[in-house]
Every structure is written in structure tokens, then in C-alpha cells.
């Protein structure tokens, strides 16, 4: 069975600090996809990134970076030099091969204090 | 800037009333999803369609919920009769899938439903 665990329920950081959001997943499939979504206070879910299980290269996009490690079944998300606008709930999600639906973690609420 | 749209954004109704939520997927997307978000259960999939055909609605209470796609530009989710435990935010998402998986889903702003 598939499962996504985001153990950090809430995190608070001071602006300009770096912060890492953890995501651990479980799946029996060898082909799967991992996602991060951001849900700002407005409520909309915003797509951030998708990785497939065969691509373990880390990715950087501006202040965002992602560390995918199959050995530990983790797909962690780091925000460098955090800003107040980064305050949101961040969801990690998993999709297995042949399925289109996303299994979401419970989310991590990030608060960036000015 | 293509977006998924949902109406209404907010709905307050009384128990027993019928509720209809509508979604317009991004033009050209062939997959549509309905999710429900509550504090207790988080985000859970209710149903999804590909090329307007329902593929999975196992997450939906069949006795009161129904989902349809009358055409490629409209998806509906109905609750009849509504109950207080249906209070949640309902999200529609769309994506472009070529028979595989792993494509990103683009979410609408959600419909916040309150059943009194």
C-alpha cells in the first residue's frame, strides 16, 4: 500500500533562515512519481515539482531545492533564505505507475516570521 | 494564464439539501479529479475521469454523492442529501495524461462547503 508521511506538522522560522521539509513515502511499485504542492492562505494548491522514481538527481529552482533519496524513501524540500511569502502548507504526494490519483501527506505548515 | 475554475467558491446549506459543485478544467486537459480536504482526513480523492469517462469513484460515498462530466468543459459533483459531515473544501484538478501516470495536476481554488 502507498503512504506518504510528513512528520513535521508545523515549522516556524525567521525570515532568511533555511528550512527543510521532510517527506517519507512507501510504495511497492518500482515506477512512481513524487510531487510537492504549496497551499498558501488563499487555499489554492500550487504545483511545485514532480520527480519520477528513476531520476534521483537533485533539483534546484531558485530558492527551492529537492533531495530525492530512494535508499531512504525520502523526498525532502529545502527553502533557502526563506521569505514571508513562503508561509503556507506544503504537501508531498505520491502517484504510482498506472494510476493517476495522488496520495497526499498530511502537510507541513510553514510560518516565516519577519 | 489557463486555470481550473470552480463555482461556487463558498456554499452554506442546510442538512438535507442538494448541493452541486461545478468545475471547468483547463482547456485541452483530458483528466479531471475531485478531492475533498478536511482537517481530520486531509486531502482525499473522491473520483476521477479520463476523456470524460469515470475511472475511479471508490472514494465517494455512493449513496449520496455523484460525479459527472456532461462535456469536456464541465465536471459536476453533487451531494444529495447533504449532511453536516460533508462540510469540507472540495477541489477539482485537471491534467493531461496520455495513458500513463505521474502528470502534474492543476488545482482549482476549491469550493468551501458548510452544511448546517
Amino acid at each position: 500500500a502507498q503512504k506518504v508521511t510528513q512528520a513535521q506538522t508545523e515549522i516556524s522560522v525567521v525570515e532568511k533562515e533555511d528550512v527543510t521539509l521532510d517527506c517519507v513515502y512507501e510504495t511497492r511499485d518500482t515506477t512512481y512519481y513524487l510531487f510537492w504542492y504549496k497551499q498558501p492562505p488563499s487555499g489554492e494548491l500550487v504545483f511545485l515539482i514532480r520527480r519520477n522514481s528513476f531520476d534521483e538527481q537533485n533539483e534546484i529552482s531558485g530558492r527551492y531545492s529537492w533531495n530525492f533519496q530512494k535508499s531512504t524513501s525520502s523526498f525532502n524540500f529545502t527553502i533557502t533564505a526563506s521569505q514571508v511569502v513562503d508561509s503556507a502548507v506544503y504537501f508531498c504526494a505520491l502517484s504510482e505507475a498506472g494510476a493517476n490519483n495522488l496520495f497526499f501527506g498530511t502537510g507541513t505548515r510553514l510560518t516565516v516570521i519577519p | 494564464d489557463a486555470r481550473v475554475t470552480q463555482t461556487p467558491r463558498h456554499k452554506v446549506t442546510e442538512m438535507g439539501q442538494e448541493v452541486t459543485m461545478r468545475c471547468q478544467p483547463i482547456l485541452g486537459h483530458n483528466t479531471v479529479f475531485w478531492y475533498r480536504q478536511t482537517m481530520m482526513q486531509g486531502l482525499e480523492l473522491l473520483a476521477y475521469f479520463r476523456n470524460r469517462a469515470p475511472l475511479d469513484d471508490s472514494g465517494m460515498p455512493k449513496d449520496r454523492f455523484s460525479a459527472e462530466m456532461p462535456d469536456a468543459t464541465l465536471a459536476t459533483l453533487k451531494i444529495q442529501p447533504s449532511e453536516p459531515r460533508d462540510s469540507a473544501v472540495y477541489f477539482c484538478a485537471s491534467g493531461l495524461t496520455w495513458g500513463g501516470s505521474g502528470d502534474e495536476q492543476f488545482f482549482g481554488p476549491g469550493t468551501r462547503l458548510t452544511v448546517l
Side-chain angles (χ1 to χ4, degrees), chain A residues 1-59:
Chain A
Q2 59 285 322
K3 186 177 177 182
V4 177
T5 301
Q6 294 180 257
Q8 304 151 308
T9 305
E10 295 190 28
I11 300 177
S12 290
V13 298
V14 177
E15 199 171 20
K16 297 185 182 176
E17 286 184 348
D18 299 347
V19 58
T20 295
L21 310 181
D22 298 333
C23 173
V24 174
Y25 62 91
E26 292 178 29
T27 178
R28 293 178 182 167
D29 278 15
T30 55
T31 302
Y32 51 89
Y33 302 83
L34 296 164
F35 301 77
W36 276 94
Y37 281 83
K38 174 182 180 180
Q39 187 174 38
S42 60
E44 196 163 340
L45 281 152
V46 178
F47 167 79
L48 295 178
I49 190 172
R50 176 192 65 190
R51 302 298 284 178
N52 72 56
S53 52
F54 298 108
D55 183 0
E56 284 192 76
Q57 271 194 338
N58 291 333
E59 182 155 341

Short mmCIF file of all heavy atoms in Angstrom, two decimals, chain A residues 1-59:
data_model
loop_
_atom_site.label_atom_id
_atom_site.label_comp_id
_atom_site.label_asym_id
_atom_site.label_seq_id
_atom_site.Cartn_x
_atom_site.Cartn_y
_atom_site.Cartn_z
N ALA A 1 0.84 -1.19 0.00
CA ALA A 1 0.00 0.00 0.00
C ALA A 1 0.88 1.24 0.00
O ALA A 1 1.98 1.23 0.51
CB ALA A 1 -0.92 0.00 1.22
N GLN A 2 0.35 2.30 -0.57
CA GLN A 2 1.12 3.52 -0.68
C GLN A 2 0.83 4.42 0.52
O GLN A 2 -0.27 4.41 1.07
CB GLN A 2 0.80 4.24 -1.98
CG GLN A 2 -0.64 4.61 -2.15
CD GLN A 2 -1.52 3.44 -2.48
OE1 GLN A 2 -1.14 2.55 -3.24
NE2 GLN A 2 -2.69 3.40 -1.89
N LYS A 3 1.85 5.17 0.89
CA LYS A 3 1.70 6.04 2.05
C LYS A 3 2.71 7.17 1.94
O LYS A 3 3.83 6.96 1.47
CB LYS A 3 1.95 5.24 3.32
CG LYS A 3 1.68 5.99 4.61
CD LYS A 3 1.89 5.05 5.79
CE LYS A 3 1.70 5.78 7.11
NZ LYS A 3 1.95 4.89 8.27
N VAL A 4 2.31 8.34 2.39
CA VAL A 4 3.21 9.49 2.41
C VAL A 4 3.18 10.07 3.81
O VAL A 4 2.10 10.36 4.34
CB VAL A 4 2.78 10.55 1.39
CG1 VAL A 4 3.69 11.77 1.49
CG2 VAL A 4 2.82 9.98 -0.03
N THR A 5 4.34 10.22 4.41
CA THR A 5 4.43 10.73 5.78
C THR A 5 5.19 12.04 5.82
O THR A 5 6.33 12.14 5.36
CB THR A 5 5.13 9.71 6.70
OG1 THR A 5 4.39 8.47 6.67
CG2 THR A 5 5.18 10.23 8.12
N GLN A 6 4.54 13.04 6.37
CA GLN A 6 5.19 14.32 6.63
C GLN A 6 5.14 14.50 8.15
O GLN A 6 4.14 14.91 8.70
CB GLN A 6 4.47 15.44 5.90
CG GLN A 6 4.57 15.33 4.39
CD GLN A 6 3.84 16.47 3.69
OE1 GLN A 6 2.75 16.29 3.18
NE2 GLN A 6 4.45 17.65 3.69
N ALA A 7 6.22 14.15 8.80
CA ALA A 7 6.22 14.10 10.25
C ALA A 7 6.14 15.48 10.89
O ALA A 7 5.65 15.62 12.01
CB ALA A 7 7.46 13.37 10.73
N GLN A 8 6.61 16.49 10.19
CA GLN A 8 6.59 17.84 10.74
C GLN A 8 5.22 18.46 10.50
O GLN A 8 4.85 18.73 9.36
CB GLN A 8 7.66 18.71 10.07
CG GLN A 8 9.05 18.15 10.17
CD GLN A 8 9.90 18.60 8.98
OE1 GLN A 8 9.48 18.43 7.83
NE2 GLN A 8 11.06 19.16 9.22
N THR A 9 4.49 18.69 11.55
CA THR A 9 3.16 19.27 11.39
C THR A 9 3.27 20.77 11.17
O THR A 9 2.61 21.32 10.28
CB THR A 9 2.32 18.99 12.65
OG1 THR A 9 2.31 17.60 12.89
CG2 THR A 9 0.89 19.48 12.45
N GLU A 10 4.10 21.42 11.98
CA GLU A 10 4.27 22.87 11.86
C GLU A 10 5.73 23.23 12.07
O GLU A 10 6.41 22.64 12.91
CB GLU A 10 3.43 23.61 12.91
CG GLU A 10 1.93 23.44 12.74
CD GLU A 10 1.15 24.38 13.63
OE1 GLU A 10 1.65 25.46 13.96
OE2 GLU A 10 0.02 24.03 14.01
N ILE A 11 6.18 24.19 11.29
CA ILE A 11 7.53 24.71 11.44
C ILE A 11 7.48 26.22 11.40
O ILE A 11 6.76 26.79 10.56
CB ILE A 11 8.47 24.23 10.31
CG1 ILE A 11 8.57 22.71 10.27
CG2 ILE A 11 9.85 24.85 10.45
CD1 ILE A 11 9.42 22.20 9.12
N SER A 12 8.23 26.86 12.28
CA SER A 12 8.35 28.32 12.24
C SER A 12 9.83 28.68 12.09
O SER A 12 10.66 28.12 12.80
CB SER A 12 7.80 28.96 13.51
OG SER A 12 6.41 28.83 13.57
N VAL A 13 10.10 29.58 11.20
CA VAL A 13 11.47 30.06 11.02
C VAL A 13 11.43 31.58 10.90
O VAL A 13 10.40 32.18 10.58
CB VAL A 13 12.14 29.45 9.77
CG1 VAL A 13 12.24 27.94 9.90
CG2 VAL A 13 11.41 29.84 8.51
N VAL A 14 12.58 32.17 11.15
CA VAL A 14 12.70 33.61 10.97
C VAL A 14 13.14 33.86 9.53
O VAL A 14 13.91 33.08 8.95
CB VAL A 14 13.71 34.20 11.96
CG1 VAL A 14 13.90 35.69 11.73
CG2 VAL A 14 13.26 33.94 13.40
N GLU A 15 12.63 34.91 8.97
CA GLU A 15 12.96 35.26 7.59
C GLU A 15 14.46 35.18 7.35
O GLU A 15 15.26 35.55 8.20
CB GLU A 15 12.46 36.68 7.30
CG GLU A 15 12.31 37.00 5.84
CD GLU A 15 11.61 38.34 5.63
OE1 GLU A 15 11.59 39.15 6.58
OE2 GLU A 15 11.08 38.55 4.52
N LYS A 16 14.79 34.65 6.19
CA LYS A 16 16.16 34.47 5.69
C LYS A 16 16.82 33.18 6.19
O LYS A 16 17.91 32.85 5.72
CB LYS A 16 17.06 35.67 6.00
CG LYS A 16 16.60 36.95 5.32
CD LYS A 16 17.56 38.09 5.55
CE LYS A 16 17.01 39.36 4.90
NZ LYS A 16 17.89 40.54 5.18
N GLU A 17 16.16 32.50 7.10
CA GLU A 17 16.70 31.21 7.51
C GLU A 17 16.39 30.17 6.43
O GLU A 17 15.42 30.30 5.68
CB GLU A 17 16.08 30.75 8.83
CG GLU A 17 16.59 31.48 10.04
CD GLU A 17 16.01 30.91 11.33
OE1 GLU A 17 15.05 30.12 11.27
OE2 GLU A 17 16.52 31.26 12.40
N ASP A 18 17.19 29.12 6.39
CA ASP A 18 16.89 27.98 5.52
C ASP A 18 16.00 27.00 6.29
O ASP A 18 16.08 26.89 7.51
CB ASP A 18 18.17 27.26 5.12
CG ASP A 18 19.13 28.15 4.34
OD1 ASP A 18 18.72 29.24 3.91
OD2 ASP A 18 20.30 27.75 4.18
N VAL A 19 15.16 26.30 5.54
CA VAL A 19 14.26 25.34 6.20
C VAL A 19 14.08 24.13 5.29
O VAL A 19 13.99 24.27 4.07
CB VAL A 19 12.90 25.98 6.53
CG1 VAL A 19 12.21 26.53 5.29
CG2 VAL A 19 11.99 25.02 7.28
N THR A 20 14.06 22.96 5.90
CA THR A 20 13.85 21.71 5.15
C THR A 20 12.59 21.03 5.62
O THR A 20 12.40 20.81 6.83
CB THR A 20 15.05 20.76 5.32
OG1 THR A 20 16.21 21.37 4.73
CG2 THR A 20 14.79 19.44 4.61
N LEU A 21 11.76 20.69 4.66
CA LEU A 21 10.51 19.96 4.94
C LEU A 21 10.72 18.50 4.54
O LEU A 21 11.14 18.22 3.41
CB LEU A 21 9.36 20.58 4.13
CG LEU A 21 9.20 22.09 4.23
CD1 LEU A 21 8.00 22.55 3.41
CD2 LEU A 21 9.07 22.55 5.66
N ASP A 22 10.41 17.62 5.45
CA ASP A 22 10.68 16.21 5.23
C ASP A 22 9.48 15.49 4.63
O ASP A 22 8.32 15.80 4.93
CB ASP A 22 11.04 15.51 6.55
CG ASP A 22 12.32 16.08 7.17
OD1 ASP A 22 13.16 16.60 6.41
OD2 ASP A 22 12.45 16.01 8.40
N CYS A 23 9.77 14.50 3.79
CA CYS A 23 8.73 13.67 3.21
C CYS A 23 9.29 12.25 3.08
O CYS A 23 10.34 12.05 2.46
CB CYS A 23 8.31 14.20 1.84
SG CYS A 23 7.16 13.11 0.95
N VAL A 24 8.59 11.30 3.64
CA VAL A 24 8.97 9.89 3.53
C VAL A 24 7.79 9.16 2.91
O VAL A 24 6.64 9.39 3.28
CB VAL A 24 9.30 9.30 4.91
CG1 VAL A 24 9.55 7.79 4.78
CG2 VAL A 24 10.53 9.98 5.50
N TYR A 25 8.07 8.28 1.97
CA TYR A 25 6.98 7.61 1.26
C TYR A 25 7.15 6.10 1.31
O TYR A 25 8.24 5.59 1.58
CB TYR A 25 6.92 8.08 -0.21
CG TYR A 25 8.17 7.77 -0.98
CD1 TYR A 25 8.29 6.58 -1.69
CD2 TYR A 25 9.25 8.65 -0.98
CE1 TYR A 25 9.44 6.28 -2.39
CE2 TYR A 25 10.41 8.37 -1.67
CZ TYR A 25 10.51 7.18 -2.37
OH TYR A 25 11.65 6.90 -3.05
N GLU A 26 6.05 5.41 1.05
CA GLU A 26 6.06 3.95 0.96
C GLU A 26 5.31 3.55 -0.29
O GLU A 26 4.20 4.03 -0.56
CB GLU A 26 5.35 3.32 2.17
CG GLU A 26 6.05 3.49 3.49
CD GLU A 26 5.26 2.86 4.62
OE1 GLU A 26 4.52 1.88 4.37
OE2 GLU A 26 5.33 3.38 5.76
N THR A 27 5.89 2.64 -1.04
CA THR A 27 5.22 2.09 -2.21
C THR A 27 5.87 0.78 -2.58
O THR A 27 7.06 0.59 -2.35
CB THR A 27 5.25 3.05 -3.40
OG1 THR A 27 4.63 2.43 -4.53
CG2 THR A 27 6.67 3.44 -3.76
N ARG A 28 5.10 -0.11 -3.18
CA ARG A 28 5.66 -1.39 -3.65
C ARG A 28 6.05 -1.29 -5.12
O ARG A 28 6.71 -2.19 -5.64
CB ARG A 28 4.65 -2.51 -3.45
CG ARG A 28 4.38 -2.83 -1.99
CD ARG A 28 3.34 -3.89 -1.84
NE ARG A 28 3.04 -4.16 -0.42
CZ ARG A 28 2.01 -4.86 0.01
NH1 ARG A 28 1.17 -5.37 -0.86
NH2 ARG A 28 1.82 -5.05 1.28
N ASP A 29 5.60 -0.24 -5.77
CA ASP A 29 5.91 -0.09 -7.19
C ASP A 29 7.36 0.33 -7.38
O ASP A 29 7.93 1.04 -6.54
CB ASP A 29 5.00 0.96 -7.81
CG ASP A 29 3.65 0.39 -8.17
OD1 ASP A 29 3.32 -0.70 -7.70
OD2 ASP A 29 2.92 1.06 -8.93
N THR A 30 7.92 -0.05 -8.49
CA THR A 30 9.26 0.41 -8.83
C THR A 30 9.20 1.68 -9.66
O THR A 30 10.18 2.41 -9.76
CB THR A 30 10.04 -0.68 -9.61
OG1 THR A 30 9.26 -1.04 -10.76
CG2 THR A 30 10.29 -1.90 -8.74
N THR A 31 8.05 1.91 -10.25
CA THR A 31 7.83 3.14 -11.02
C THR A 31 6.80 3.97 -10.29
O THR A 31 5.67 3.52 -10.09
CB THR A 31 7.36 2.83 -12.44
OG1 THR A 31 8.32 2.00 -13.10
CG2 THR A 31 7.18 4.13 -13.22
N TYR A 32 7.18 5.16 -9.91
CA TYR A 32 6.26 6.03 -9.20
C TYR A 32 6.72 7.46 -9.38
O TYR A 32 7.81 7.73 -9.92
CB TYR A 32 6.17 5.66 -7.71
CG TYR A 32 7.50 5.55 -7.00
CD1 TYR A 32 8.08 6.67 -6.40
CD2 TYR A 32 8.19 4.34 -6.96
CE1 TYR A 32 9.30 6.58 -5.76
CE2 TYR A 32 9.41 4.25 -6.32
CZ TYR A 32 9.97 5.36 -5.72
OH TYR A 32 11.19 5.27 -5.10
N TYR A 33 5.89 8.37 -8.92
CA TYR A 33 6.16 9.80 -9.09
C TYR A 33 5.92 10.51 -7.77
O TYR A 33 4.98 10.17 -7.04
CB TYR A 33 5.25 10.38 -10.18
CG TYR A 33 5.41 9.68 -11.51
CD1 TYR A 33 4.72 8.50 -11.78
CD2 TYR A 33 6.26 10.19 -12.48
CE1 TYR A 33 4.89 7.83 -12.99
CE2 TYR A 33 6.42 9.54 -13.70
CZ TYR A 33 5.73 8.36 -13.93
OH TYR A 33 5.89 7.72 -15.12
N LEU A 34 6.73 11.46 -7.51
CA LEU A 34 6.62 12.23 -6.27
C LEU A 34 6.42 13.70 -6.61
O LEU A 34 6.98 14.22 -7.58
CB LEU A 34 7.90 12.07 -5.43
CG LEU A 34 8.14 10.64 -4.93
CD1 LEU A 34 9.57 10.48 -4.47
CD2 LEU A 34 7.17 10.31 -3.80
N PHE A 35 5.62 14.35 -5.78
CA PHE A 35 5.24 15.74 -6.04
C PHE A 35 5.34 16.55 -4.75
O PHE A 35 5.24 16.02 -3.64
CB PHE A 35 3.77 15.82 -6.50
CG PHE A 35 3.45 15.05 -7.75
CD1 PHE A 35 3.29 13.68 -7.72
CD2 PHE A 35 3.28 15.72 -8.95
CE1 PHE A 35 2.97 12.97 -8.87
CE2 PHE A 35 2.96 15.01 -10.10
CZ PHE A 35 2.81 13.65 -10.06
N TRP A 36 5.53 17.85 -4.93
CA TRP A 36 5.31 18.80 -3.86
C TRP A 36 4.32 19.85 -4.35
O TRP A 36 4.43 20.34 -5.49
CB TRP A 36 6.61 19.49 -3.44
CG TRP A 36 7.43 18.69 -2.46
CD1 TRP A 36 8.45 17.83 -2.74
CD2 TRP A 36 7.28 18.69 -1.04
NE1 TRP A 36 8.95 17.29 -1.58
CE2 TRP A 36 8.26 17.81 -0.53
CE3 TRP A 36 6.44 19.36 -0.15
CZ2 TRP A 36 8.40 17.57 0.84
CZ3 TRP A 36 6.59 19.12 1.20
CH2 TRP A 36 7.56 18.23 1.69
N TYR A 37 3.37 20.16 -3.47
CA TYR A 37 2.41 21.22 -3.72
C TYR A 37 2.45 22.21 -2.57
O TYR A 37 2.68 21.83 -1.42
CB TYR A 37 0.97 20.66 -3.84
CG TYR A 37 0.64 20.04 -5.16
CD1 TYR A 37 0.99 18.72 -5.43
CD2 TYR A 37 -0.03 20.76 -6.15
CE1 TYR A 37 0.67 18.13 -6.65
CE2 TYR A 37 -0.35 20.18 -7.36
CZ TYR A 37 0.00 18.87 -7.61
OH TYR A 37 -0.31 18.30 -8.82
N LYS A 38 2.16 23.46 -2.90
CA LYS A 38 2.09 24.52 -1.89
C LYS A 38 0.65 24.99 -1.78
O LYS A 38 -0.02 25.20 -2.81
CB LYS A 38 2.99 25.69 -2.33
CG LYS A 38 2.89 26.93 -1.46
CD LYS A 38 3.78 28.04 -2.03
CE LYS A 38 3.69 29.30 -1.17
NZ LYS A 38 4.57 30.39 -1.72
N GLN A 39 0.17 25.17 -0.55
CA GLN A 39 -1.17 25.70 -0.34
C GLN A 39 -1.05 26.97 0.49
O GLN A 39 -0.97 26.92 1.72
CB GLN A 39 -2.08 24.69 0.34
CG GLN A 39 -3.54 25.14 0.41
CD GLN A 39 -4.46 24.07 0.96
OE1 GLN A 39 -4.12 23.32 1.87
NE2 GLN A 39 -5.67 23.98 0.41
N PRO A 40 -1.03 28.13 -0.17
CA PRO A 40 -0.95 29.39 0.57
C PRO A 40 -2.26 29.67 1.28
O PRO A 40 -3.24 28.95 1.10
CB PRO A 40 -0.67 30.41 -0.55
CG PRO A 40 -1.20 29.78 -1.79
CD PRO A 40 -1.07 28.30 -1.61
N PRO A 41 -2.29 30.72 2.08
CA PRO A 41 -3.53 31.04 2.83
C PRO A 41 -4.75 31.21 1.93
O PRO A 41 -5.88 31.02 2.40
CB PRO A 41 -3.16 32.35 3.53
CG PRO A 41 -1.68 32.27 3.73
CD PRO A 41 -1.16 31.56 2.50
N SER A 42 -4.55 31.54 0.68
CA SER A 42 -5.69 31.69 -0.23
C SER A 42 -6.39 30.36 -0.48
O SER A 42 -7.54 30.33 -0.92
CB SER A 42 -5.23 32.28 -1.56
OG SER A 42 -4.27 31.43 -2.16
N GLY A 43 -5.71 29.25 -0.22
CA GLY A 43 -6.34 27.95 -0.30
C GLY A 43 -6.06 27.13 -1.54
O GLY A 43 -6.28 25.93 -1.55
N GLU A 44 -5.60 27.78 -2.60
CA GLU A 44 -5.36 27.04 -3.84
C GLU A 44 -4.11 26.18 -3.71
O GLU A 44 -3.15 26.56 -3.06
CB GLU A 44 -5.20 28.05 -4.98
CG GLU A 44 -5.32 27.48 -6.36
CD GLU A 44 -5.56 28.55 -7.41
OE1 GLU A 44 -6.00 29.66 -7.03
OE2 GLU A 44 -5.33 28.28 -8.59
N LEU A 45 -4.11 25.04 -4.35
CA LEU A 45 -2.95 24.15 -4.35
C LEU A 45 -2.09 24.45 -5.57
O LEU A 45 -2.56 24.36 -6.70
CB LEU A 45 -3.38 22.69 -4.36
CG LEU A 45 -3.83 22.16 -3.01
CD1 LEU A 45 -4.83 21.04 -3.18
CD2 LEU A 45 -2.64 21.67 -2.21
N VAL A 46 -0.85 24.78 -5.33
CA VAL A 46 0.04 25.17 -6.40
C VAL A 46 1.10 24.10 -6.60
O VAL A 46 1.81 23.73 -5.66
CB VAL A 46 0.73 26.52 -6.07
CG1 VAL A 46 1.69 26.90 -7.18
CG2 VAL A 46 -0.32 27.60 -5.85
N PHE A 47 1.21 23.61 -7.82
CA PHE A 47 2.20 22.58 -8.15
C PHE A 47 3.60 23.18 -8.09
O PHE A 47 3.85 24.26 -8.62
CB PHE A 47 1.91 22.05 -9.56
CG PHE A 47 3.00 21.23 -10.16
CD1 PHE A 47 3.18 19.92 -9.80
CD2 PHE A 47 3.86 21.79 -11.11
CE1 PHE A 47 4.18 19.16 -10.36
CE2 PHE A 47 4.87 21.04 -11.68
CZ PHE A 47 5.04 19.72 -11.31
N LEU A 48 4.53 22.45 -7.45
CA LEU A 48 5.91 22.92 -7.36
C LEU A 48 6.86 22.05 -8.17
O LEU A 48 7.70 22.56 -8.91
CB LEU A 48 6.37 22.94 -5.90
CG LEU A 48 5.66 23.92 -4.96
CD1 LEU A 48 6.20 23.76 -3.55
CD2 LEU A 48 5.81 25.35 -5.46
N ILE A 49 6.75 20.72 -8.01
CA ILE A 49 7.71 19.85 -8.67
C ILE A 49 7.17 18.44 -8.78
O ILE A 49 6.33 18.01 -7.98
CB ILE A 49 9.06 19.82 -7.92
CG1 ILE A 49 10.12 19.10 -8.78
CG2 ILE A 49 8.89 19.14 -6.56
CD1 ILE A 49 11.52 19.20 -8.21
N ARG A 50 7.66 17.72 -9.80
CA ARG A 50 7.40 16.29 -9.97
C ARG A 50 8.72 15.60 -10.25
O ARG A 50 9.54 16.10 -11.01
CB ARG A 50 6.46 16.06 -11.14
CG ARG A 50 6.21 14.60 -11.47
CD ARG A 50 5.53 14.46 -12.80
NE ARG A 50 6.38 14.91 -13.90
CZ ARG A 50 5.96 15.06 -15.13
NH1 ARG A 50 4.71 14.83 -15.45
NH2 ARG A 50 6.79 15.46 -16.07
N ARG A 51 8.92 14.44 -9.61
CA ARG A 51 10.09 13.61 -9.90
C ARG A 51 9.61 12.19 -10.17
O ARG A 51 8.70 11.71 -9.50
CB ARG A 51 11.06 13.55 -8.70
CG ARG A 51 11.57 14.87 -8.25
CD ARG A 51 12.35 15.54 -9.31
NE ARG A 51 13.68 15.00 -9.49
CZ ARG A 51 14.52 15.44 -10.41
NH1 ARG A 51 14.14 16.36 -11.25
NH2 ARG A 51 15.71 14.93 -10.51
N ASN A 52 10.24 11.50 -11.09
CA ASN A 52 9.92 10.09 -11.26
C ASN A 52 10.97 9.25 -10.54
O ASN A 52 12.08 9.72 -10.23
CB ASN A 52 9.80 9.71 -12.74
CG ASN A 52 11.13 9.67 -13.46
OD1 ASN A 52 12.05 8.97 -13.04
ND2 ASN A 52 11.24 10.42 -14.53
N SER A 53 10.62 8.02 -10.30
CA SER A 53 11.44 7.16 -9.44
C SER A 53 12.78 6.79 -10.05
O SER A 53 13.66 6.26 -9.36
CB SER A 53 10.67 5.88 -9.09
OG SER A 53 10.18 5.26 -10.26
N PHE A 54 12.95 7.06 -11.34
CA PHE A 54 14.22 6.70 -11.98
C PHE A 54 15.19 7.87 -12.06
O PHE A 54 16.30 7.73 -12.57
CB PHE A 54 13.95 6.17 -13.39
CG PHE A 54 13.11 4.93 -13.37
CD1 PHE A 54 11.78 4.97 -13.79
CD2 PHE A 54 13.61 3.73 -12.92
CE1 PHE A 54 11.00 3.83 -13.76
CE2 PHE A 54 12.84 2.58 -12.89
CZ PHE A 54 11.53 2.64 -13.31
N ASP A 55 14.77 8.99 -11.54
CA ASP A 55 15.60 10.17 -11.64
C ASP A 55 15.90 10.68 -10.23
O ASP A 55 15.09 11.39 -9.64
CB ASP A 55 14.88 11.25 -12.45
CG ASP A 55 15.74 12.47 -12.65
OD1 ASP A 55 16.90 12.49 -12.15
OD2 ASP A 55 15.27 13.43 -13.28
N GLU A 56 17.06 10.32 -9.72
CA GLU A 56 17.41 10.72 -8.36
C GLU A 56 18.24 11.99 -8.31
O GLU A 56 18.74 12.35 -7.25
CB GLU A 56 18.17 9.58 -7.67
CG GLU A 56 17.28 8.43 -7.22
CD GLU A 56 18.02 7.49 -6.28
OE1 GLU A 56 18.20 7.83 -5.11
OE2 GLU A 56 18.41 6.40 -6.76
N GLN A 57 18.36 12.63 -9.44
CA GLN A 57 19.13 13.88 -9.41
C GLN A 57 18.41 14.91 -8.56
O GLN A 57 17.20 15.08 -8.65
CB GLN A 57 19.25 14.43 -10.84
CG GLN A 57 20.46 13.93 -11.58
CD GLN A 57 20.73 14.74 -12.82
OE1 GLN A 57 19.86 15.38 -13.35
NE2 GLN A 57 21.95 14.69 -13.28
N ASN A 58 19.18 15.61 -7.76
CA ASN A 58 18.58 16.70 -7.00
C ASN A 58 18.26 17.85 -7.94
O ASN A 58 18.87 18.00 -9.00
CB ASN A 58 19.54 17.16 -5.91
CG ASN A 58 19.69 16.11 -4.82
OD1 ASN A 58 18.79 15.30 -4.60
ND2 ASN A 58 20.82 16.09 -4.16
N GLU A 59 17.29 18.63 -7.55
CA GLU A 59 16.86 19.71 -8.41
C GLU A 59 16.84 21.01 -7.63
O GLU A 59 16.49 21.04 -6.46
CB GLU A 59 15.49 19.42 -9.00
CG GLU A 59 15.00 20.50 -9.95
CD GLU A 59 14.00 19.98 -10.94
OE1 GLU A 59 13.93 18.76 -11.16
OE2 GLU A 59 13.25 20.81 -11.52
#
